[in-house]
Amino acid sequence: MDAATQAATPAVSFDTSPERYRHWKLAFDGPIATLSMDVQEDAGLSPDYKLKLNSYDLGVDIELADAIQRLRFEHPEVHAVVVTSLKERIFCAGANIFMLRGSSHAWKVNFCKFTNETRLAIEDASAHSGIRFLAALNGICAGGGYELALACDEIFLVDDGNSAVSLPETPLLGVLPGTGGLTRVVDKRKVRRDLADVFGTVAEGVKGKRAVEWRLVDAVYPTSQFKDRVAARAKELAAKSDRPSGGPGITLTPLAPAVTDTSVTYSAVSIEIDRDKRVATLTVAAPEPGQPDTVDAAQALGARFWPLRAFRELDEALLRLRTHEPLIGTVVVKTRGDQEAMLAMDEWLLANQDHWLVREIIHFMKRTLKRMDLTSRSFFALIEPESCFAGTLFELALASDRSYMLDDPDRDNTIALSAMNGGPLKMSNGLTRMQTRFLAEPEQVDALLDRGQPFDPQEAMAAGLVSFAPDDIDWDDEVRLAIESRVALSPDALTGMEANLRFAGPETMETKIFGRLTAWQNWIFIRPNAVGAKGALTAYGSHSRPEFDFNRV
Amino acid sequence: MDAATQAATPAVSFDTSPERYRHWKLAFDGPIATLSMDVQEDAGLSPDYKLKLNSYDLGVDIELADAIQRLRFEHPEVHAVVVTSLKERIFCAGANIFMLRGSSHAWKVNFCKFTNETRLAIEDASAHSGIRFLAALNGICAGGGYELALACDEIFLVDDGNSAVSLPETPLLGVLPGTGGLTRVVDKRKVRRDLADVFGTVAEGVKGKRAVEWRLVDAVYPTSQFKDRVAARAKELAAKSDRPSGGPGITLTPLAPAVTDTSVTYSAVSIEIDRDKRVATLTVAAPEPGQPDTVDAAQALGARFWPLRAFRELDEALLRLRTHEPLIGTVVVKTRGDQEAMLAMDEWLLANQDHWLVREIIHFMKRTLKRMDLTSRSFFALIEPESCFAGTLFELALASDRSYMLDDPDRDNTIALSAMNGGPLKMSNGLTRMQTRFLAEPEQVDALLDRGQPFDPQEAMAAGLVSFAPDDIDWDDEVRLAIESRVALSPDALTGMEANLRFAGPETMETKIFGRLTAWQNWIFIRPNAVGAKGALTAYGSHSRPEFDFNRV
């Protein structure tokens, strides 16, 4: 077993709020918010490293993710966000190298996954919520700092003769820019590959006019003009937004689950952990009947409104499993509740999707389901009587690696689709889970969505909506054996297999980041040339130079 | 340094021909060829393993690649190929596990890359040359055996109660099916992901009717009917071909380069190796002026015709560098010769591209350039007076990570484009190298292609066609420093960086295989759960069971 895995896992909570931020400041000026990085050196998750020069660890990124989320839900009046730094002549030095060096492989991989999701959340807010992001690089911007800038719509760099953008990972550390940098440089900013090659290998980076010519930034301005130019452009960006001109937003209250050694219990979501079997059971409860009719009533419920509450809980539950339970390789997915209420909720959401808050809720549900797609655990959905795999909650079965539906002639057991399965909850590959599932028979998707009534086990099997439908005699054994076989397999092979099977169909910048880039980064993160006794990541900041095995693979 | 890298590299030649095959039999019956696997257990590349049950090593796959190539060039009358086995009740057991276990990481990776390229060459022959492939699985078909079948257009499986298709890599060996299997199952055959998940974890595989229902094979037939059904279907497939109804083809004569410890010299291609600097210089000579005017004349030249000769040499040179020179991380790319002759050749090729032989030659040039894109070495093109970076040979500069063009006012130095840069030589991503280069300014592509005259260094820089154009005073130092800096970097980080920067733009099944799938496989191939003392690949076939670190990454 990887001894470092547990030892190097600091206690970490994904629950934070602006008044508790240590590393970021949020300021508001009408439609413009300014999100400023001001990392406290001594406030890293571990005392083993200092977060110098606005370098970051997971704790810093959890605050960033929280800030992006709150801008969406709590500040509908914000139409543009300026991302900048409060440190003199430093925007951000990237992920903290001493943190990376001291972390287990699994921690590095999970850290990069979360930071990638956060950067994609910025792009999601821009694409779907009318919030534009302007990176105002008021000082040096290296590695993960530049990758954060790349996630913004536009990048302005101060032209002070010193400030540069750079991706020094390869030349200094022998690793890749692991948070989308390489992909965004050539695919989003469309930097020519030969220039990207040069940029990716010169530790000092590129500044001034050349940074613009190479498309690495959108503009450079002298220090004297920088603030005004940023402010003026932020105003222009804000003017294009379709968000409301004023509030109020809703407050994202703390989730506060009840946590024991073997369970985490939220209001609509729970996790039960069986450490001996290395299996968790994740259960999501459908909305109660009698939900609010109007958007005003839903808004009055705020964070207690079921779709937001249940998916915030699900999101945190997934992050907890990833971060705190690395030995739990298989997750049994269950639901419970009232199918009619779930389908009514879906109808309500779609009927009101033009309202800013409902739009935010739907996109958040989408992002949470993507988080599930990207979670490197095996998911098996169990569809039983009293479960509620309907509409939005049926996405949990579609997102699972397999689904088992009990076919007991004496007990009702159905699944149901809704229009929420037909578009709003797209995967990273740009398709719905239904489209991805039925790549071979695309015409099936609309036929099934149009059916308008539930599917019993036989119908669900015939339609290809579930993997297996054992009868009541076989159910217990078949499910038990499936889980026992799964947990016995190599966890690495399963991670790789699932990463390849879950994303059939088209690739997007997002799937490229999580597929190609992440997989290569994971490989490099365990190579002796990076993390061995004489590897570059190990040698960095010491007085010794790295020594490489120069064999090319 | 990876001690196993050199030790475990058997002497291997990529030069073979049917009369020397040990493992395959080629038989011809009019428009139908039958390519039968009959692996000789004792004829592996190394005596350390036996190639039982039609399992394969690189030597077996080199023969397969050769056979596919010869079918295209030597047998224009072949319109369909039946891929089958001469062994009783066994089609193919996949890559030899004892070979994999005994190989260095680099060898495993290179082996998988070559076998992937061979399978893609089968699909290329089907898509572009009118040769359809029918996999006739007359017995058990496991792992790489099934991946070979997946590369064929159709898969027939004998229904004898025993023969199954399977991908047992994950359950038995703790690795992935690394030759495109996972990708082709969900993306090419569009198997539902939950069924693919089951299929990928049951060692015994799937047979009979279920294999058809799950889309894993196209048909199953009882033993009594199998041969007739295969023959009948092969005839139908052959009938759709647009190839000529008769020969003659041309013979692919041996390349026979002059080889010393530091050089490989072919007729139009040479490699010079500087082991101290870890740099090779690859030089390609343009065609001489006065090439054949007619296709008949070209056909009479056969393998001596420049485009075929030069690219066969280049192809083998790349394979030699990959296999025999793992320490040579940087390749300087040069050309020499007559630009007019090169451009005239391009014009001739395009004017005659409807002829089957010319078509084959162009597609072979395309595949060779893809092999370069996929070679994990840094390529720097040096464009100097007397070089010939024109048309097809300019693709070598476009395929390079960077290009340097000498700007000496006293010496002529130009590059030139031709219509060959505008379509026929597409990369794995489905775009031309020009389109990939100018993703940010797609309109530039046609503007540059239409220019109709060479570019001097200043014009080439202004057009974005080269990376740098140092003057004669700076040239030596700038080029020397660029190479010295490159060879000092971590070879792993460079491999990962290049794999991410070279393939901007759309992803295809092909780029998915080499990006996502290969990168994950490389990761798993060095994880202790696979190759450690108690890993699954190590334990296979011994009496001990694997012991896993069950932490999920």
Side-chain angles (χ1 to χ4, degrees), chain A residues 11 40 79 101 124 166 172 270 384 475 485 530 534:
Chain A
Q40 303 306 301
H79 300 177
R101 182 195 299 171
D124 185 74
S166 64
L172 288 190
S270 67
E384 298 167 282
W475 175 261
S485 310
K534 296 176 174 178

Side-chain angles (χ1 to χ4, degrees), chain A residues 1-2 5-6 105-106 109-110 113 170-171 174-176 182-183 185-187 189-190 192-198 200-201 210 214-215 278 326-330 373 376-378 380 398-404 427 436-441 461 463-468 486-507 511-512 514-520 522-524 526-530 536 548-553, chain B residues 1-2 5-6 105-106 109-110 113 170-171 174-176 182-183 185-187 189-190 192-198 200-201 210 214-215 278 326-330 373 376-378 380 398-404 427 436-441 461 463-468 486-507 511-512 514-520 522-524 526-530 536 548-553:
Chain A
M1 131 146 209
D2 180 359
T5 303
Q6 300 291 1
H105 180 57
V109 169
N110 260 306
K113 188 178 284 182
T170 294
V175 299
L176 299 186
L182 296 178
T183 310
V185 162
V186 291
D187 272 300
R189 298 198 61 91
K190 300 183 168 65
R192 251 171 48 205
R193 63 167 274 202
D194 54 339
L195 303 179
D197 179 274
V198 176
T201 53
R210 177 175 263 196
W214 287 17
R215 309 177 60 89
R278 297 195 306 277
L327 283 167
I328 303 300
T330 303
D373 296 331
S376 59
R377 309 299 159 93
S378 303
F380 284 10
L398 292 170
S400 292
D401 297 293
R402 303 181 192 173
S403 53
Y404 292 80
M427 299 172 59
T436 305
R437 187 175 186 86
F438 293 104
L439 271 186
E441 313 158 273
M461 272 302 284
L465 287 167
V466 297
S467 316
F468 298 102
R486 190 67 161 205
V487 300
L489 298 180
S490 161
D492 304 334
L494 288 177
T495 290
M497 187 186 81
E498 290 157 3
N500 279 282
L501 295 182
R502 288 180 183 173
F503 302 94
E507 297 260 359
T511 62
K512 265 182 145 168
F514 288 115
R516 182 184 281 269
L517 180 60
T518 297
W520 280 108
N522 290 0
W523 176 71
I524 290 165
I526 44 172
R527 294 283 291 168
N529 281 335
F548 294 128
D549 169 359
F550 280 108
N551 278 286
R552 270 284 193 138
V553 177
Chain B
M1 132 145 206
D2 179 1
T5 305
Q6 300 289 359
H105 180 58
V109 169
N110 259 306
K113 188 178 284 183
T170 294
V175 300
L176 299 187
L182 295 178
T183 310
V185 163
V186 291
D187 273 301
R189 298 197 61 90
K190 300 185 168 61
R192 252 171 47 205
R193 61 167 274 204
D194 54 339
L195 304 178
D197 179 274
V198 176
T201 53
R210 176 174 264 196
W214 287 18
R215 308 178 60 89
R278 298 196 306 277
L327 283 167
I328 303 300
T330 303
D373 296 332
S376 60
R377 308 301 158 91
S378 302
F380 284 10
L398 292 170
S400 294
D401 298 291
R402 303 181 192 173
S403 54
Y404 292 81
M427 299 171 60
T436 305
R437 187 175 186 86
F438 293 104
L439 272 186
E441 314 159 89
M461 272 302 284
L465 287 167
V466 298
S467 316
F468 299 103
R486 190 68 161 204
V487 300
L489 298 181
S490 161
D492 304 333
L494 288 176
T495 291
M497 186 184 82
E498 290 156 5
N500 280 280
L501 296 181
R502 288 179 183 173
F503 301 94
E507 296 261 359
T511 62
K512 266 181 144 169
F514 288 116
R516 180 183 283 267
L517 180 60
T518 297
W520 281 108
N522 290 358
W523 177 70
I524 290 164
I526 45 172
R527 294 282 292 167
N529 281 335
F548 294 130
D549 169 359
F550 280 107
N551 278 285
R552 269 284 193 139
V553 176

Side-chain angles (χ1 to χ4, degrees), chain B residues 256-272:
Chain B
V259 179
T260 73
D261 184 47
T262 58
S263 69
V264 184
T265 310
Y266 304 84
S267 71
V269 172
S270 67
I271 314 172
E272 297 285 332

